[in-house]
Structures are given as C-alpha cells and as structure tokens.
Amino acid sequence: MSGLRILVPIKRVLDYATKPRVNRTQTGIDLANAKHSMNPFDELSIEEAVRLRERKVPVAEILAFSAGPPKAQDVLRTAMAMGADRSIHVVVEERDALEPLGVAKLLKKVVEGEKSDLVILGKQSIDDDAAQTGQMLAGLLGWAQATQASSVSISAENMVTVTREVDGGVETLKAKLPMVITTDLRLNEPRYASLPNIMKAKKKLLEKKTLKDYGLDEKIRLKTVRVTEPPPRKGGVKVEDVDGMISKLKELGAL
C-alpha cells in the first residue's frame, strides 16, 4: 500500500464550555470576546489520523484544512501541534460563513488538488449540528463513506474496516480506499499538544487561500430570520403520593 494522503477538515467553533448568548438584534449568537476552540469532533479526526501513522499504517501526509475567519489559523496550528504535517486556511469572514453544501464543494476541490485518498472529519460541528458535510462530500466524490465511526483500521490491501454505533448495537463496514469517514466521540481520546510540539507547529507550512483560488463563489441559500433564547425552565412541584402524581400528570396533559 502506498502512503496515504489524509485530509482532515477542522472548524473553529464557540468553545463547548462557553454558554452561548443571543445578540441584541436576534440575528445570531454573540461571538464578541467569546472563547473559541477546535470543534471537538474534529479533534477526534486529527487524533485518529495521527494514530493511524503511529500504528505503522503508511501515511505520506496529514493535511489539516479549515475555511473560516483569520483567527481560524489558531485551530490549524493546534492541529499541526497534534501531528498534522501542514495546513491550508481558506479565509472566509464570519458573515460569509459557508453552509454544509458549500463546504462539501470546497473540500471536493481540495481533495482533487491534493490527491487525497482518505478524508476524516467530525460527524458534525457543535455550532450548527448539521451533520451533513461528510455525506455530501462522499456523494460529490462518488466515494465510499462510513459515518459516526467508533473504530477504524486499514489493512495492507487498502481495505478499511469501520465500526459504528447504531441503535441497539454496533455495525461493522468494510470498503476500499478512497473513502470518507466521519468520527464519533468513542473513537479515541485526543492528546494534548505538548509545548515542544506547539513550538514546532509554528514552523510548519500554513498556506492561506481564498474561495476564488478554488474557483468557488458560494452563495448562501439559507437566511436566518431570527434567533431567540429558549424559554426559562419552570420549577418542579412536589406531590404527596402516587395518586397526586397521576393527577398532576393528567392536569398537564401528559396522561
């Protein structure tokens, strides 16, 4: 098996520990001065790509890719500190954020240009929870796909075995490269980037590009009409006995 060229798309998102707040105009989330980090599912993807190399699977290159605002280069540096060899940053302002189909079209161009034969990406991003990009990319490329992977192994015959969790158990899929894999939380535990690797990442290549470099000018198809906070939760009530609980449930229309 020749060396794999692995593409790992990553996204800069609002940090999972940050409580999102709706902005004053109710057009979206207030991102001013908010902490951002790499999408957690994409951390799993970088980790798995690095682990494939550590398991002696022939890997020629691990390429991290992101399309986002200028600050997205921070998560690319993190990806390289974790083990990616180089990265590409397509600068897209937050107001022009791409939709899943636009991202899939862009990734198709990157795959073709970089001659990638394996794409590992998170099953979804925690900001929009669309969970569409991986499937759309596989469809555009005409490649095999395995979603929500909890285990990945690659044989010398370019055969990929993926275990994924499904309702009531697990499902094992096999397919030949090239392939698109989306990652789930039980796949691995991402490593922390050590200080020496963070310093080394500063010297690795981070190439900046634009949508026009890939011949794309993706138009937004969806318009956000309004974003509102969820209604505050009401406090619970105590009941004296089972009969009181049943009466209360009937009163609420639950029975």
Side-chain angles (χ1 to χ4, degrees):
M1 180 173 64
S2 59
L4 287 174
R5 300 182 64 83
I6 304 176
L7 173 65
V8 184
I10 60 178
K11 187 176 183 181
R12 176 180 179 266
V13 298
L14 193 68
D15 189 84
Y16 71 92
T18 301
K19 184 177 180 179
R21 299 287 185 183
V22 176
N23 60 27
R24 292 182 179 181
T25 57
Q26 294 189 328
T27 56
I29 301 300
D30 187 1
L31 300 177
N33 302 317
K35 182 182 177 182
H36 287 71
S37 59
M38 188 189 304
N39 181 46
F41 291 102
D42 300 336
E43 287 186 279
L44 301 169
S45 304
I46 286 288
E47 177 67 25
E48 192 61 23
V50 175
R51 289 193 185 193
L52 286 174
R53 173 178 279 166
E54 292 174 344
R55 292 199 292 264
K56 307 303 181 184
V57 174
V59 175
E61 182 180 61
I62 300 172
L63 171 62
F65 174 88
S66 188
K71 290 184 178 180
Q73 65 178 321
D74 295 343
V75 296
L76 288 171
R77 292 292 182 193
T78 300
M80 291 189 288
M82 291 175 66
D85 299 307
R86 65 183 178 96
S87 58
I88 296 176
H89 178 202
V90 174
V91 181
V92 179
E93 296 298 336
E94 287 178 337
R95 64 178 181 274
D96 302 320
L98 296 172
E99 295 169 349
L101 180 58
V103 177
K105 289 179 178 180
L106 176 57
L107 290 176
K108 179 177 182 290
K109 295 282 188 179
V110 177
V111 167
E112 293 170 345
E114 300 296 331
K115 295 180 171 53
S116 306
D117 41 27
L118 177 62
V119 181
I120 307 177
L121 68 162
K123 71 171 185 177
Q124 65 194 80
S125 60
I126 62 171
D127 51 4
D128 60 15
D129 283 326
Q132 297 174 346
T133 302
Q135 294 89 323
M136 288 179 172
L137 175 60
L140 291 172
L141 290 170
W143 286 10
Q145 65 170 310
T147 60
Q148 298 169 256
S150 59
S151 173
V152 177
S153 62
I154 302 177
S155 70
E157 293 76 29
N158 287 348
M159 184 66 72
V160 184
T161 302
V162 177
T163 301
R164 59 192 298 269
E165 296 185 9
V166 296
D167 292 342
V170 295
E171 180 180 65
T172 301
L173 305 175
K174 285 188 177 181
K176 280 194 172 183
L177 293 169
M179 190 174 187
V180 176
I181 298 174
T182 70
T183 57
D184 208 346
L185 290 175
R186 290 179 177 82
L187 179 60
N188 57 52
E189 184 175 343
R191 70 195 65 194
Y192 288 101
S194 64
L195 181 58
N197 286 337
I198 291 173
M199 299 306 293
K200 290 177 183 177
K202 293 182 179 180
K203 298 180 180 180
K204 292 183 178 180
L205 177 62
L206 193 163
E207 188 176 0
K208 291 186 179 181
K209 294 192 175 186
T210 65
L211 290 176
K212 290 183 179 179
D213 291 329
Y214 291 99
L216 294 174
D217 186 13
E218 188 63 25
K219 294 182 180 179
I220 302 300
R221 291 171 170 78
L222 299 176
K223 179 182 179 181
T224 300
V225 178
R226 188 174 62 170
V227 178
T228 58
E229 299 264 4
R233 297 181 63 179
K234 296 180 180 180
V237 296
K238 291 184 178 181
V239 294
E240 298 295 331
D241 49 30
V242 175
D243 291 336
M245 181 182 69
I246 293 174
S247 298
K248 191 63 179 177
L249 291 173
K250 288 181 177 178
E251 179 184 331
L252 295 172
L255 289 178

